[in-house]
Short mmCIF file of all heavy atoms in Angstrom, two decimals:
data_model
loop_
_atom_site.label_atom_id
_atom_site.label_comp_id
_atom_site.label_asym_id
_atom_site.label_seq_id
_atom_site.Cartn_x
_atom_site.Cartn_y
_atom_site.Cartn_z
N ASN B 661 27.54 59.29 18.18
CA ASN B 661 27.82 60.50 17.43
C ASN B 661 29.30 60.94 17.86
O ASN B 661 30.03 61.50 17.13
CB ASN B 661 26.79 61.64 17.95
CG ASN B 661 25.49 61.30 17.22
OD1 ASN B 661 25.34 60.57 16.41
ND2 ASN B 661 24.42 61.94 17.85
N TRP B 662 29.56 60.85 19.15
CA TRP B 662 30.91 61.19 19.75
C TRP B 662 31.92 60.38 18.97
O TRP B 662 32.97 60.89 18.59
CB TRP B 662 30.85 61.08 21.20
CG TRP B 662 32.20 61.44 21.96
CD1 TRP B 662 32.53 62.76 22.35
CD2 TRP B 662 33.19 60.59 22.38
NE1 TRP B 662 33.77 62.55 22.86
CE2 TRP B 662 34.20 61.26 22.93
CE3 TRP B 662 33.33 59.17 22.16
CZ2 TRP B 662 35.36 60.73 23.44
CZ3 TRP B 662 34.46 58.53 22.75
CH2 TRP B 662 35.53 59.53 23.33
N LEU B 663 31.69 59.06 19.06
CA LEU B 663 32.66 58.13 18.42
C LEU B 663 32.84 58.39 17.00
O LEU B 663 34.02 58.30 16.51
CB LEU B 663 32.26 56.77 18.69
CG LEU B 663 33.24 55.61 18.81
CD1 LEU B 663 34.20 55.84 19.83
CD2 LEU B 663 32.34 54.24 19.08
N ASN B 664 31.77 58.73 16.27
CA ASN B 664 31.82 59.04 14.99
C ASN B 664 32.81 60.29 14.66
O ASN B 664 33.11 60.52 13.58
CB ASN B 664 30.45 59.33 14.38
CG ASN B 664 30.32 59.22 12.90
OD1 ASN B 664 30.98 58.32 12.27
ND2 ASN B 664 29.56 60.23 12.28
N ARG B 665 32.95 61.13 15.67
CA ARG B 665 33.75 62.26 15.40
C ARG B 665 35.20 61.87 15.67
O ARG B 665 36.16 62.39 15.01
CB ARG B 665 33.36 63.55 16.28
CG ARG B 665 31.93 64.12 16.00
CD ARG B 665 31.77 65.45 16.62
NE ARG B 665 32.01 65.47 18.08
CZ ARG B 665 30.86 65.18 18.96
NH1 ARG B 665 29.81 64.85 18.51
NH2 ARG B 665 31.17 65.06 20.38
N HIS B 666 35.32 60.98 16.73
CA HIS B 666 36.85 60.77 17.10
C HIS B 666 37.37 59.61 16.34
O HIS B 666 38.44 59.61 15.87
CB HIS B 666 36.83 60.52 18.61
CG HIS B 666 36.71 61.80 19.41
ND1 HIS B 666 37.79 62.50 19.72
CD2 HIS B 666 35.67 62.38 19.87
CE1 HIS B 666 37.33 63.58 20.35
NE2 HIS B 666 36.01 63.55 20.49
N LEU B 667 36.50 58.51 16.09
CA LEU B 667 37.00 57.29 15.41
C LEU B 667 35.91 56.76 14.47
O LEU B 667 35.29 55.80 14.60
CB LEU B 667 37.15 56.20 16.41
CG LEU B 667 38.41 56.03 17.28
CD1 LEU B 667 38.39 57.11 18.39
CD2 LEU B 667 38.59 54.61 17.80
N PRO B 668 35.79 57.56 13.29
CA PRO B 668 34.67 57.33 12.42
C PRO B 668 34.96 55.92 11.56
O PRO B 668 36.18 55.74 11.20
CB PRO B 668 34.64 58.46 11.45
CG PRO B 668 36.00 59.09 11.49
CD PRO B 668 36.52 58.83 12.90
N VAL B 669 33.83 55.27 11.33
CA VAL B 669 33.92 54.20 10.34
C VAL B 669 33.64 54.92 9.09
O VAL B 669 32.74 55.61 8.94
CB VAL B 669 32.82 53.12 10.52
CG1 VAL B 669 32.70 52.13 9.52
CG2 VAL B 669 32.97 52.55 11.92
N LEU B 670 34.56 54.75 8.08
CA LEU B 670 34.46 55.53 6.88
C LEU B 670 33.92 54.72 5.62
O LEU B 670 34.37 53.51 5.63
CB LEU B 670 35.85 56.18 6.66
CG LEU B 670 36.33 57.24 7.61
CD1 LEU B 670 37.73 57.60 7.24
CD2 LEU B 670 35.38 58.38 7.53
N PRO B 671 33.33 55.27 4.80
CA PRO B 671 32.99 54.41 3.55
C PRO B 671 34.30 54.23 2.74
O PRO B 671 35.31 55.07 2.97
CB PRO B 671 31.99 55.31 3.00
CG PRO B 671 32.14 56.72 3.29
CD PRO B 671 32.66 56.42 4.79
N ALA B 672 34.25 53.24 1.96
CA ALA B 672 35.47 52.81 1.16
C ALA B 672 35.90 54.03 0.27
O ALA B 672 37.17 54.20 0.13
CB ALA B 672 35.24 51.58 0.40
#
Side-chain angles (χ1 to χ4, degrees):
Chain B
N661 290 342
W662 178 83
L663 208 52
N664 196 42
R665 295 198 301 276
H666 289 275
L667 280 77
V669 175
L670 297 172

